[in-house]
Amino acid sequence: MVQSYLRHGPTQAFGLVCSSSSNSVFDGKLAYVPALEDVLVWDLKKGQMLAMWHDTGHRAEVTCILRSPQKDHFAVGYADGSIRLWSASVGSVITTFNGHKKAVSALAFDQEGTRLASGSQDTDLIVWDIVAEAGLYRLRGHRDQITAIKFIPATNDVPSTSTAFTSVMLLTTSKDTFMKLWNMSTQHCMQTIVAHRSDIWAMDVNIERNIIFTGSGEGEVKAWSINTESISKGLTESDSGEINKIILPIATLPLSSRHRVSQISFHPTQPFLAVQSHDRSVELFRIRTEEEVQKKQLRRKKRAKEKKDKQQSISEKADNEKLEDDEITLVSLFTPHVIVRASKKIRSFDFGVSLKDGLQVMTALSSNCLEVYAVPLPSKSKDPLEASRLYSVELPGHRSDIRTLCLSSDDQLLSSASNDSLKIWNMKTTACIRTMDCNQAICSTFLPGDRHIVVGTKAGELLLYDLASSSLIETVKAHTATVWSLHVRADGQALVTGSADKDVKFWEFENKMATEDSTQSGKLVTLVHLRTLKMTDDILSVRYSPDNKFLAVALLDSTVKVFYQDTLKFFLSLYGHKLPVLGMDISSDSKLIVTCSADKNVKIWGLDFGDCHKSIFAHEESVMQVLFEKDSHYFWTVGKDKMLKYWDGDKFEHIQRLEGHHGEVWALALSHFGKFVVTGSHDKSIRVWEKLDDPLFLEEEREKELEALYENGTVEALNRADLAIGSGVGDGFPESSISAEATSVSKQTGETLMAGERIMDALDLADGERRIFREYEETMSRMTEDDAVKLQPPPRNPVLAAYDLEPEAYVLKVVEKVHSTALHDALLALPFSKVMSLMEYLNIWAQKNWNIILVSRIIFFLLKAHHHQIVANRIMRTSLIPLRKHLRTALQRQKEVIGYNLAALQYLRRRDQTERVAHFFEEESSAEQVRLQISEGKKRKRVNLVS
């Protein structure tokens, strides 16, 4: 009988406030921030997480977040090139767009929120139609990652009744130093500017849409003006014969910092500009009005004139007066206001709502925390203005990598430690219930009773914490170098520590009375040093066997020494690893010891004779930790390759591979009852993997892995747009293939290939059913009436009988189920024979007036994609001619319905306007009429009030 195992699956991920992979969005109350593959919604005032937007099965990191003008919608770009449109109220995906081959780096909505432009590391710019849920076109021209996109709307001086098409422009910047202006109506680049000498990292356009600011990797910010006349007229020639440029340089804006400019933002309502350099500061500039600047210039000149009147001659006065006609410079318009300095490096910032006395600025820090600052408005007092921190969210996560994890004996509490803090988590609610200061933690464990935790540090100290008072009760100078490992003996009476100072030290627990200096009263637990075992090399790991018989010590010389724990007499030496052993564990029955090493291998040894049972190549990078499951020979390993793996130590089989972390996995902890596994990583997240009731068979698991590999290979091959069909070119790029500036949007994924296969299966099934019934009808027509009555009709296909559908209705049902964003790519997967078959069904659907919008979309796409074959194939005429007739009839009917509905809506709008708008007519009164009214007594009466 085939052995089955129980499957493990990801259930919870916590410990993240915000990750540094993407920008964050703030609306004054709620912050929408990236958390690796999820988006978290925080109420910053309360410090509460309100929602987590998680798409099951999707593991790519969030790289870009943007709020739509339709406030409930958010566009989120991911590292795999996909874009998901989320509904904030429901917290679910509305639609998914797949078109980019690499991570999405920039997003922009148009003014109505109906079109979305996305830029990527693959240098392509794609424009998406949100309403139709389809890609409109792909624009190529940049040579490096696109860093910012903005829509430049057409001028508003066109009358509302005009039917003229107003073109919208797209402005993009890239790391290739270029800024490009694209015309969306003609889908081509109108102007390319070499904006900076180095990468352009940030760009924004002011509210009036007439000034552009760009920031470079050299810390330079440049301003550019947009010529609105040229946009409305198009590219025109000047008198000298040169083409008028739309974007013109103005000046450079001086900054206080010379770091890389990573974000530039204009405040949506107030006259402020913020520039974030790639350090801990955001510099705010106040935008003055021209009147303010002119007043200030006049005051300055007046003061200068008064001062120089006493000293200078008349000729010098004349020179000074020439300055009166100065132009208003950029520096005088944008004046430095306040510098917001954060506690750590800033990843991104966003403006909140304007307060009565200032602005709100949210900063998302790369150290896994959020801060909100209040920026005061300009005042007449001469005191320097400073930004003050309003609130921050930092407790629910570590500032640096999680280096060690340990679980309490009842699995209720989890302890995690990093370079700066020790945190205690409730495993049921995943809430952080204690946070204590801790310096450079390396290893940790709960002491018997689960009331105390011991932490080994890089400085060689043992820190003893009390959970009830959440305080450090003792610091023991145990070693002179890093404490790499510590372990409590199975009987709970002693502790062993191993350090880089080549000593193994043994400690026992003792209760002593509290002194006057201590924070607690009564008895305190303390560590008492018993003895020391000197070794020849640095100690990386120590482990007691569960039967209290042996002590295993892993050394820097890649060997493991096993001693009798009571006498410390040498028993075994395990050698075979090429690089040092980083972790080890002994099974519950004390028969097996498993070691993991920096040489990427895991070795299983017998503890009776020290023989190596098996050496397994376990991970693609160093294996950091290994632990046995309780009462079994199954064990878990984690590595720098971001993987968690499950193994059978008796059969030496790889059971399951669990992906989820986005950084090296440093720490591993196992439930004492075998219910779950907890991992901690460089990505600052803690993940829980629970044992499910779902059985797992090894052969099925290997088949799934091979299928996934095959699918990925097929998808990659289909997406190689650089190779001509039949060119026979392997990995090289054909010299002749010069890509067009504007192309269609397509990208094959596993989903689109499966959708194409489902359509093919439906076509095969329907064609077979129609053929059988056609043959039956032909046989009936050749027979006499008496024989025809006796002939039984053929049985219906069980699938069609189950759905109770005709073949053509079943094909339509299958096609309708394909997501609209994946439909075109799914149709591209069909061979031409199936396209011909689908044409027949399109004709039937048009004739029966079924889903005409979908029919039109499919037919136009197929005619465009397979134009050459259809033109060359005469057989297609028989199906295309009736299709044209039926489709035209159906479309005419649709046109009439839409026309009628539009007329009705316009009538309703006019009626609504007339009801809501009141018309006031004032009669012109002459002076004589006014005097007449006053004489008649039509004036305000004076009333005497008596108290």
Side-chain angles (χ1 to χ4, degrees):
M1 187 180 166
V2 180
Q3 185 178 355
S4 68
Y5 302 88
L6 284 175
R7 189 182 295 279
H8 287 72
T11 51
Q12 286 166 320
F14 55 96
L16 275 170
V17 178
C18 68
S19 58
S20 58
S21 59
S22 160
N23 66 306
S24 302
V25 175
F26 182 51
D27 64 3
K29 183 187 178 188
L30 304 180
Y32 303 86
V33 301
L36 302 177
E37 71 270 26
D38 304 327
V39 176
L40 303 182
V41 183
W42 289 95
D43 184 329
L44 293 184
K45 203 168 185 179
K46 294 178 182 174
Q48 280 181 357
M49 187 175 83
L50 301 180
M52 177 191 276
W53 299 350
H54 177 74
D55 195 4
T56 310
H58 188 249
R59 286 196 296 268
E61 271 188 295
V62 173
T63 55
C64 198
I65 303 174
L66 182 70
R67 189 169 200 163
S68 167
Q70 299 167 8
K71 295 297 181 188
D72 184 47
H73 294 174
F74 284 79
V76 180
Y78 293 86
D80 61 355
S82 64
I83 301 161
R84 281 165 174 72
L85 205 64
W86 289 86
S87 167
S89 56
V90 186
S92 62
V93 179
I94 299 166
T95 186
T96 304
F97 297 117
N98 268 305
H100 291 291
K101 295 184 181 74
K102 290 185 182 175
V104 177
S105 54
L107 293 168
F109 279 103
D110 67 355
Q111 282 182 313
E112 293 79 30
T114 54
R115 280 182 294 187
L116 172 70
S118 63
S120 163
Q121 287 179 5
D122 63 9
T123 75
D124 289 354
L125 172 69
I126 299 179
V127 181
W128 307 90
D129 187 336
I130 301 289
V131 180
E133 296 185 354
L136 296 175
Y137 43 84
R138 185 193 300 268
L139 298 170
R140 289 180 171 142
H142 281 293
R143 296 175 190 170
D144 208 335
Q145 173 185 329
I146 293 170
T147 52
I149 306 171
K150 288 288 170 192
F151 278 87
I152 308 291
T155 49
N156 297 324
D157 52 5
V158 180
S160 59
T161 53
S162 170
T163 56
F165 182 76
T166 56
S167 64
V168 177
M169 302 290 178
L170 257 181
L171 189 66
T172 60
T173 57
S174 165
K175 283 166 76 174
D176 60 6
T177 74
F178 295 150
M179 176 162 59
K180 284 179 176 280
L181 186 70
W182 307 82
N183 188 324
M184 291 180 68
S185 57
T186 56
Q187 296 168 26
H188 81 286
C189 179
M190 292 183 71
Q191 191 179 348
T192 301
I193 304 118
V194 182
H196 292 267
R197 284 178 297 178
S198 63
D199 308 353
I200 305 173
W201 281 94
M203 180 264 288
D204 200 11
V205 184
N206 67 344
I207 304 162
E208 291 79 26
R209 303 284 168 181
N210 58 4
I211 296 176
I212 306 162
F213 276 89
T214 57
S216 76
E218 292 178 342
E220 186 181 41
V221 172
K222 283 187 180 178
W224 311 80
S225 67
I226 301 173
N227 188 342
T228 49
E229 281 184 27
S230 297
I231 288 182
S232 56
K233 290 177 184 175
L235 293 173
T236 54
E237 285 188 6
S238 63
D239 299 335
S240 60
E242 288 184 2
I243 293 171
N244 288 325
K245 290 196 169 102
I246 296 171
I247 298 170
L248 302 163
I250 303 174
T252 303
L253 189 69
L255 296 178
S256 62
S257 165
R258 295 301 295 170
H259 290 81
R260 186 182 94 196
V261 177
S262 43
Q263 191 179 340
I264 297 174
S265 287
F266 280 91
H267 193 284
T269 54
Q270 299 284 340
F272 285 95
L273 167 73
V275 178
Q276 181 219 329
S277 299
H278 203 67
D279 56 4
R280 298 184 180 189
S281 64
V282 175
E283 202 168 340
L284 266 81
F285 293 87
R286 188 168 69 85
I287 308 168
R288 294 172 172 164
T289 59
E290 289 188 13
E291 291 80 20
E292 277 184 83
V293 176
Q294 283 167 354
K295 278 180 187 175
K296 190 160 188 182
Q297 280 181 351
L298 285 169
R299 280 202 305 272
R300 192 184 293 132
K301 283 168 188 169
K302 192 177 177 183
R303 283 200 301 270
K305 196 175 177 183
E306 285 170 2
K307 192 177 178 183
K308 288 183 180 180
D309 267 346
K310 299 169 186 176
Q311 302 165 2
Q312 293 177 337
S313 62
I314 300 161
S315 61
E316 285 175 326
K317 271 191 224 172
D319 290 339
N320 195 36
E321 281 166 8
K322 284 177 190 174
L323 297 169
E324 287 202 9
D325 298 326
D326 279 353
E327 287 185 6
I328 295 168
T329 60
L330 182 85
V331 179
S332 55
L333 275 172
F334 291 84
T335 178
H337 180 56
V338 170
I339 295 177
V340 176
R341 298 191 193 278
S343 56
K344 296 280 180 184
K345 196 167 157 186
I346 298 170
R347 168 59 182 86
S348 71
F349 72 90
D350 197 13
F351 286 109
V353 290
S354 302
L355 305 172
K356 287 180 182 177
D357 54 348
L359 312 171
Q360 279 186 332
V361 177
M362 182 206 68
T363 57
L365 309 185
S366 54
S367 63
N368 193 28
C369 76
L370 299 166
E371 294 179 340
V372 179
Y373 289 87
V375 178
L377 292 173
S379 61
K380 291 183 179 180
S381 66
K382 292 185 179 181
D383 297 331
L385 298 172
E386 282 188 4
S388 58
R389 191 164 76 172
L390 285 177
Y391 19 81
S392 67
V393 180
E394 54 185 21
L395 284 180
H398 285 280
R399 305 285 78 75
S400 55
D401 297 15
I402 294 158
R403 294 308 301 250
T404 172
L405 294 170
C406 59
L407 280 160
S408 61
S409 58
D410 57 1
D411 291 343
Q412 295 292 313
L413 300 177
L414 172 75
S415 153
S416 65
S418 67
N419 269 353
D420 57 350
S421 62
L422 170 73
K423 289 183 183 285
I424 310 298
W425 309 82
N426 183 331
M427 283 304 293
K428 276 187 180 175
T429 61
T430 69
C432 179
I433 53 176
R434 293 278 189 279
T435 299
M436 293 163 269
D437 289 337
C438 173
N439 190 28
Q440 295 182 315
I442 299 293
C443 51
S444 63
T445 183
F446 273 92
L447 293 188
D450 297 334
R451 293 184 178 184
H452 300 87
I453 290 176
V454 176
V455 178
T457 69
K458 200 172 180 181
E461 296 173 338
L462 289 178
L463 307 178
L464 186 59
Y465 290 91
D466 178 71
L467 292 190
S469 62
S470 59
S471 61
L472 174 67
I473 55 174
E474 190 178 14
T475 302
V476 182
K477 281 293 291 179
H479 294 271
T480 56
T482 307
V483 180
W484 284 115
S485 179
L486 49 82
H487 192 224
V488 177
R489 204 165 65 197
D491 60 5
Q493 298 299 312
L495 174 81
V496 63
T497 58
S499 164
D501 64 3
K502 304 178 185 177
D503 286 352
V504 178
K505 291 194 176 181
F506 299 85
W507 311 79
E508 70 174 15
F509 313 121
E510 199 175 273
N511 290 327
K512 67 171 185 180
M513 292 304 293
T515 60
E516 291 179 3
D517 301 332
S518 63
T519 53
Q520 288 178 295
S521 58
K523 286 188 176 181
L524 299 179
V525 173
T526 183
L527 295 174
V528 178
H529 179 222
L530 288 179
R531 54 185 174 168
T532 303
L533 176 64
K534 297 272 185 186
M535 302 302 290
T536 56
D537 234 314
D538 292 17
I539 294 141
L540 297 179
S541 183
V542 287
R543 211 83 192 163
Y544 278 117
S545 64
D547 62 1
N548 289 344
K549 194 175 177 184
F550 299 114
L551 170 74
V553 181
L555 302 176
L556 194 65
D557 63 3
S558 309
T559 64
V560 175
K561 302 279 193 287
V562 183
F563 299 88
Y564 290 100
Q565 75 90 14
D566 48 1
T567 61
L568 297 186
K569 186 181 172 184
F570 177 74
F571 174 54
L572 290 171
S573 180
L574 313 176
Y575 54 89
H577 281 291
K578 294 181 180 70
L579 289 169
V581 172
L582 302 175
M584 59 184 175
D585 198 21
I586 299 170
S587 60
S588 301
D589 56 8
S590 301
K591 287 182 179 177
L592 292 182
I593 179 169
V594 62
T595 58
C596 65
S597 163
D599 63 9
K600 308 173 190 175
N601 288 308
V602 166
K603 289 184 189 288
I604 302 160
W605 317 77
L607 205 52
D608 41 7
F609 303 110
D611 54 324
C612 181
H613 290 185
K614 188 73 174 175
S615 180
I616 304 166
F617 181 76
H619 289 260
E620 298 295 322
E621 296 287 337
S622 299
V623 189
M624 298 310 296
Q625 224 171 327
V626 60
L627 286 177
F628 269 108
E629 237 180 38
K630 194 173 177 66
D631 300 328
S632 77
H633 285 177
Y634 302 155
F635 63 89
W636 292 87
T637 59
V638 291
K640 282 189 177 179
D641 60 356
K642 310 170 189 174
M643 296 288 176
L644 167 68
K645 293 189 178 183
Y646 191 28
W647 307 85
D648 185 336
D650 289 328
K651 296 191 173 181
F652 319 124
E653 290 279 7
H654 175 213
I655 301 169
Q656 198 181 353
R657 182 177 73 171
L658 293 162
E659 297 174 65
H661 280 293
H662 295 266
E664 298 94 331
V665 186
W666 300 118
L668 172 69
L670 257 63
S671 158
H672 293 90
F673 306 103
K675 290 180 180 176
F676 59 84
V677 185
V678 188
T679 52
S681 165
H682 170 72
D683 61 19
K684 304 181 185 71
S685 72
I686 301 169
R687 289 173 191 263
V688 183
W689 317 79
E690 277 187 21
K691 189 175 276 185
L692 311 171
D693 297 329
D694 185 16
L696 179 148
F697 299 96
L698 294 180
E699 282 187 15
E700 283 182 13
E701 205 66 16
R702 297 299 89 82
E703 278 175 20
K704 280 180 188 173
E705 284 176 16
L706 285 170
E707 275 176 23
L709 272 172
Y710 173 72
E711 270 184 21
N712 288 341
T714 311
V715 167
E716 280 174 22
L718 287 168
N719 287 328
R720 285 292 299 275
D722 54 304
L723 300 182
I725 297 167
S727 61
V729 181
D731 298 326
F733 288 86
E735 292 177 13
S736 59
S737 65
I738 300 164
S739 57
E741 193 173 51
T743 58
S744 60
V745 181
S746 71
K747 181 190 174 185
Q748 290 291 355
T749 61
E751 183 195 349
T752 59
L753 289 176
M754 285 173 69
E757 284 174 9
R758 284 198 297 272
I759 294 171
M760 281 191 268
D761 291 342
L763 289 169
D764 286 337
L765 190 148
D767 286 345
E769 184 80 352
R770 289 181 71 205
R771 188 174 58 253
I772 290 165
F773 274 89
R774 200 183 304 117
E775 287 169 4
Y776 167 70
E777 284 166 9
E778 284 173 6
T779 312
M780 289 273 286
S781 63
R782 288 198 297 270
M783 295 170 78
T784 59
E785 281 187 24
D786 295 337
D787 293 337
V789 172
K790 293 175 187 176
L791 186 67
Q792 289 291 323
R796 288 184 71 189
N797 186 292
V799 176
L800 296 176
Y803 283 114
D804 192 22
L805 290 172
E806 292 300 312
E808 54 271 20
Y810 175 69
V811 176
L812 180 63
K813 186 175 187 286
V814 170
V815 173
E816 280 177 336
K817 277 187 178 177
V818 178
H819 202 280
S820 58
T821 52
L823 181 62
H824 286 180
D825 292 320
L827 292 172
L828 283 174
L830 302 181
F832 190 64
S833 58
K834 291 285 179 280
V835 171
M836 291 170 68
S837 176
L838 184 59
M839 290 280 197
E840 292 177 21
Y841 291 102
L842 289 169
N843 182 24
I844 296 166
W845 300 341
Q847 194 175 352
K848 294 187 175 181
N849 204 23
W850 287 351
N851 203 337
I852 295 302
I853 297 165
L854 181 68
V855 172
S856 309
R857 194 177 162 196
I858 293 171
I859 188 64
F860 295 139
F861 178 76
L862 291 177
L863 290 172
K864 195 171 156 188
H866 301 281
H867 179 258
H868 296 300
Q869 293 98 315
I870 290 168
V871 169
N873 195 338
R874 290 187 178 182
I875 304 164
M876 294 295 291
R877 286 175 65 85
T878 53
S879 58
L880 281 173
I881 291 167
L883 175 60
R884 181 178 65 179
K885 179 190 166 189
H886 295 138
L887 194 60
R888 276 185 178 172
T889 310
L891 287 173
Q892 186 60 39
R893 204 177 299 120
Q894 290 274 336
K895 187 182 172 185
E896 287 166 5
V897 169
I898 290 168
Y900 181 85
N901 289 344
L902 273 173
L905 286 168
Q906 282 167 356
Y907 165 72
L908 288 171
R909 187 176 68 178
R910 284 196 300 271
R911 194 178 70 179
D912 183 55
Q913 281 176 345
T914 51
E915 285 174 3
R916 287 173 63 191
V917 180
H919 296 276
F920 294 97
F921 298 98
E922 281 189 9
E923 291 180 6
E924 289 185 12
S925 305
S926 63
E928 291 174 7
Q929 285 175 327
V930 171
R931 282 195 204 97
L932 189 66
Q933 284 175 355
I934 291 166
S935 63
E936 287 173 0
K938 287 184 180 178
K939 57 181 179 180
R940 285 180 294 184
K941 294 179 180 177
R942 295 182 183 278
V943 181
N944 293 325
L945 295 173
V946 181
S947 59

